[in-house]
Amino acid sequence: MEIEDRDFLNSPPLKTVRFGGSVVETLAKYKRGDLSDYELLKHQLADPEIKDAQIITWLQEFRNCVAQLTKDHEQLIYTILRVPWVGRSQAVVEEYMAFLSNLVSAQTVFLCACLKMVISHFTPKKVAICEGGVEISDSDDDDENLPRNFSQCHQALQLITRYVPSTSHFLVPILQDSFPFVQKSSRTLECYVHNLLTVTSYLPTIRRDVLEIIIGQMLKLDVSASRSDIEEAEENLSQSQQAGNCTEEALFDMDEDLPTGQPPSLGVMAHPVAERLDSLMTMLLAYIKDLCHVNGALHTDRTKELYRDLLDVFDKLILPTHASCHIQYMLFYLCSFRLALAEAFLEHLWKILQSPSQPAVLRQAAAGYMGSFLARAKFIPVLTVRACLDLLISWIHRYIDGQDSKGGQACCDISLHGPFYTACQAVFYTLIFRHGAILASNLKKGLEYLQSLNLERVVMCQMNPLKVCLPAVTNMFAAITRKYQVVFCYTIIERNSRHMLPVVHSSAGGDSVTTNTNPLDSFFPFDPYLLKRSGKFIEPLYQAWEEPADSELIANKTVHQGSKEDDFDFLCGETPQGDGIVGMTPNSLDSNPSIGSPPVSFQRHC
């Protein structure tokens, strides 16, 4: 008999081999204290070889007495919920969904159990694998029926929601608790995240909570795969492949038909954590694009709603997290859809920076995001950049006025003036990247605008921002402002270097001299994007660093003896941590280059 062709609602139960009485009789005996048939019923339901016809027969009987399935029968219900219904015949799936509908309607005490059961199917089922005589558990990532199975789960979830409108309230914690461990395979994480994003399509009221769950887990991946670790893994892979190619060429150069080496896997990250993150970022960015566009046109209302949701998650999770590398690009990408979104994001950051009620660490982070966003987003026009610079520089001058009005000597204290220093660094960093665009249309008016910023007062103030900002930023800013005769910084830089007291400590290799090269503990959130597949979304929108022409800034420069040869690129290196090795002389300006910061090769003396 073909189960797929039967009308499960109107057809009588199929004849199957079974033991014990009907469900009604079994429940009646259980009530009288006779547990024999009850235990037999649970045993038959737990049979891994249970047939479709048997499942249908049992479910029909359970539906007829669902009112009797109170909390006293909790173990029986849990056994039913473990019946493998996903991926079976359509008749089984429909009968099971009908049972779930009846159960949650009559016995809401089992709502959470039903939700957990459905969510448990959001990842590929586990299969036993034997390796070296040891059985291990892994996910069946190659199951070609996964899309169909996931669709059945979402149908069940929508059905439960229809009968219990408060489902959303109970669903979010279950989605959080059921999230796979971040060290699971990329495929497992992809499946779960894809299904969570699908849930938001028919339960939009929980979208912000779902995005918070997803981004929170992705943030764990992001901070555990540092920029230097990813770059090192890619470099090691490249070197190993080159070495392999050379070996094979030496062995097989006499035979043209034999391969000389396999090309690297396109789009696959060498770092395993970065690979997982890349797959999830690709999915998240594609979700943002698809949700905000209808038939290729931007849907304004949808985009605004998503922006608000992502901004809430940004404030709660991303902004307080130091040195995340990639997850913040979700907002970078969304803001590229319309200038109004980018301006709203900048305004939001600006409000955090200037608010005295906000913690200093968040104000400093907001300044870092603001400067990095202005510098790196191609889609932000010069007018917006100038408007933001006006806000920042006005706030900086007001801050200087406030310190001057107190009288006395203002000290260079990061704990007191942290937001001020990060605001100054944001201005310097933005001008490094955007001065060319500011001067491009009209050189005379551009120079007048730069002069109007009164940068000389900023760098000459008692709080001495050039001493605190990253040396790479400071030196590139000094080179650019000297070229256009906007402000001369090298006298101050030289004085600061003489006053920078080195710290001598012993190590295995002898005494070494260190100094704090990143006292602000700052980083640039929108430094170069390293993930390969998801990077295709970001690359067209991203302003990469363009090395200035030799005739502009490199002429007559003084390269210090301690400078590293690989500091030629503005994008290379790692943000200096608390201590970094510098030269033995107190006036050495050498330091480790910052992520996305100017190279120290542009350092020079007046």
Side-chain angles (χ1 to χ4, degrees):
M1 183 175 185
E2 292 295 328
I3 294 177
E4 289 81 356
D5 296 333
R6 62 187 292 272
D7 184 350
F8 77 96
L9 290 175
N10 300 319
S11 302
L14 297 177
K15 293 182 180 180
T16 58
V17 178
R18 54 185 287 181
F19 302 94
S22 66
V23 172
V24 175
E25 295 171 349
T26 302
L27 295 179
K29 288 183 179 181
Y30 177 84
K31 193 173 183 180
R32 294 194 298 268
D34 185 357
L35 305 182
S36 57
D37 285 357
Y38 193 82
E39 294 299 325
L40 182 60
L41 173 60
K42 291 197 297 182
H43 179 74
Q44 292 180 81
L45 288 170
D47 183 3
E49 303 298 328
I50 190 171
K51 306 299 182 184
D52 287 9
Q54 292 174 305
I55 295 176
I56 292 173
T57 301
W58 288 121
L59 291 177
Q60 287 177 341
E61 292 190 36
F62 280 117
R63 289 176 59 203
N64 291 332
C65 60
V66 71
Q68 302 179 44
L69 299 176
T70 61
K71 193 170 178 59
D72 295 336
H73 301 289
E74 186 176 39
Q75 294 303 316
L76 177 61
I77 294 298
Y78 290 163
T79 303
I80 300 172
L81 294 180
R82 286 193 291 268
V83 170
W85 63 278
V86 174
R88 287 186 177 267
S89 65
Q90 187 64 23
V92 172
V93 172
E94 292 178 356
E95 185 67 54
Y96 200 91
M97 289 185 184
F99 166 75
L100 288 177
S101 302
N102 290 356
L103 181 63
V104 297
S105 299
Q107 307 290 346
T108 54
V109 68
F110 295 117
L111 173 62
C112 288
C114 293
L115 293 175
K116 290 178 182 178
M117 179 275 297
V118 174
I119 301 305
S120 69
H121 294 287
F122 275 8
T123 54
K125 64 181 180 180
K126 293 183 178 180
V127 294
I129 301 176
C130 185
E131 291 187 0
V134 179
E135 287 192 0
I136 61 175
S137 176
D138 201 356
S139 298
D140 186 10
D141 296 343
D142 298 327
D143 187 353
E144 60 183 11
N145 295 320
L146 281 179
R148 183 195 65 179
N149 297 347
F150 293 153
S151 177
Q152 292 170 354
C153 292
H154 290 294
Q155 291 175 29
L157 199 53
Q158 291 178 70
L159 201 59
I160 293 173
T161 305
R162 187 184 310 162
Y163 284 96
V164 186
S166 62
T167 296
S168 306
H169 176 72
F170 301 95
L171 181 60
V172 172
I174 295 173
L175 295 175
Q176 173 76 61
D177 295 340
S178 302
F179 204 101
F181 183 53
V182 292
Q183 296 300 327
K184 288 287 186 179
S185 67
S186 294
R187 180 60 172 161
T188 298
L189 296 174
E190 283 177 16
C191 289
Y192 193 79
V193 170
H194 179 271
N195 283 310
L196 259 58
L197 294 175
T198 303
V199 169
T200 65
S201 65
Y202 53 84
L203 289 177
T205 56
I206 66 171
R207 182 175 62 195
R208 195 203 71 84
D209 295 318
V210 169
L211 288 172
E212 182 179 330
I213 292 171
I214 295 172
I215 292 171
Q217 297 298 323
M218 293 174 65
L219 194 56
K220 294 179 182 179
L221 292 171
D222 200 6
V223 297
S224 61
S226 68
R227 184 174 299 275
S228 60
D229 289 344
I230 295 175
E231 292 174 337
E232 182 180 358
E234 293 294 328
E235 179 65 22
N236 291 340
L237 177 63
S238 176
Q239 291 178 357
S240 64
Q241 289 171 342
Q242 291 176 2
N245 290 347
C246 293
T247 301
E248 291 190 9
E249 286 175 2
L251 292 174
F252 303 116
D253 57 0
M254 298 297 291
D255 191 341
E256 296 181 357
D257 294 332
L258 292 177
T260 58
Q262 297 295 329
S265 300
L266 298 177
V268 178
M269 302 297 299
H271 195 289
V273 177
E275 171 62 20
R276 297 186 191 97
L277 182 62
D278 194 12
S279 63
L280 297 185
M281 282 297 298
T282 302
M283 185 177 300
L284 183 60
L285 296 178
Y287 170 80
I288 292 173
K289 179 181 179 181
D290 293 343
L291 185 64
C292 295
H293 293 82
V294 178
N295 298 325
L298 186 68
H299 193 289
T300 304
D301 292 338
R302 285 187 182 182
T303 305
K304 288 181 179 178
E305 292 172 359
L306 180 61
Y307 169 77
R308 286 191 287 266
D309 289 340
L310 289 178
L311 193 64
D312 287 342
V313 178
F314 172 83
D315 287 343
K316 185 175 181 179
L317 298 180
I318 301 177
L319 184 62
T321 302
H322 180 69
S324 59
C325 298
H326 299 96
I327 188 63
Q328 56 265 25
Y329 273 92
M330 60 165 191
L331 266 174
F332 185 97
Y333 181 64
L334 178 62
C335 289
S336 70
F337 294 165
R338 179 163 289 183
L339 178 59
L341 295 174
E343 292 177 343
F345 182 51
L346 288 166
E347 182 180 4
H348 179 74
L349 295 171
W350 164 243
K351 288 179 179 178
I352 296 175
L353 169 61
Q354 67 170 348
S355 174
S357 62
Q358 291 283 356
V361 65
L362 293 184
R363 297 174 67 189
Q364 292 178 219
Y369 270 93
M370 197 172 181
S372 191
F373 190 63
L374 288 170
R376 295 296 194 171
K378 275 185 179 180
F379 47 85
I380 297 181
V382 176
L383 287 177
T384 303
V385 173
R386 289 180 54 163
C388 291
L389 285 174
D390 289 339
L391 288 174
L392 287 168
I393 206 70
S394 297
W395 182 85
I396 289 171
H397 284 301
R398 288 196 303 271
Y399 194 94
I400 296 173
D401 291 339
Q403 295 300 312
D404 291 344
S405 65
K406 295 179 181 178
Q409 181 75 24
C411 59
C412 182
D413 192 332
I414 296 173
S415 62
L416 290 178
H417 311 299
F420 168 79
Y421 290 124
T422 50
C424 291
Q425 184 164 267
V427 170
F428 301 161
Y429 190 73
T430 302
L431 287 174
I432 288 170
F433 274 87
R434 293 299 191 130
H435 73 278
I438 293 173
L439 300 173
S441 58
N442 189 312
L443 181 60
K444 182 179 179 181
K445 291 185 177 180
L447 288 174
E448 289 177 353
Y449 171 74
L450 293 180
Q451 292 287 354
S452 71
L453 298 178
N454 197 6
L455 293 170
E456 183 175 4
R457 183 181 185 230
V458 176
V459 301
M460 299 279 294
C461 73
Q462 298 179 58
M463 288 167 287
N464 195 358
L466 293 182
K467 185 175 183 179
V468 174
C469 294
L470 285 170
V473 174
T474 298
N475 286 287
M476 179 59 79
F477 173 75
I480 291 172
T481 53
R482 177 178 180 175
K483 174 191 173 183
Y484 295 106
Q485 299 185 18
V486 175
V487 61
F488 295 92
C489 304
Y490 287 106
T491 302
I492 301 172
I493 293 175
E494 180 66 18
R495 183 178 70 240
N496 290 338
S497 68
R498 288 196 299 268
H499 294 165
M500 187 179 297
L501 297 178
V503 178
V504 180
H505 64 83
S506 299
S507 62
D511 292 343
S512 61
V513 182
T514 65
T515 188
N516 192 344
T517 57
N518 187 10
L520 285 174
D521 197 24
S522 55
F523 79 109
F524 300 98
F526 299 111
D527 271 351
Y529 196 89
L530 301 180
L531 306 180
K532 297 177 183 178
R533 297 191 300 279
S534 54
K536 295 178 182 178
F537 290 89
I538 305 301
E539 184 178 356
L541 314 169
Y542 190 75
Q543 177 61 57
W545 170 248
E546 297 177 358
E547 199 72 31
D550 292 350
S551 60
E552 292 182 352
L553 299 176
I554 301 179
N556 299 323
K557 72 176 185 293
T558 301
V559 180
H560 291 274
Q561 184 176 358
S563 296
K564 297 181 180 180
E565 293 181 359
D566 60 352
D567 284 345
F568 67 92
D569 195 300
F570 191 88
L571 310 176
C572 293
E574 183 79 10
T575 302
Q577 302 302 317
D579 295 327
I581 303 299
V582 297
M584 294 296 294
T585 57
N587 67 338
S588 173
L589 298 180
D590 299 330
S591 67
N592 294 328
S594 164
I595 300 175
S597 301
V600 294
S601 58
F602 289 101
Q603 299 165 354
R604 59 180 135 175
H605 298 289
C606 290

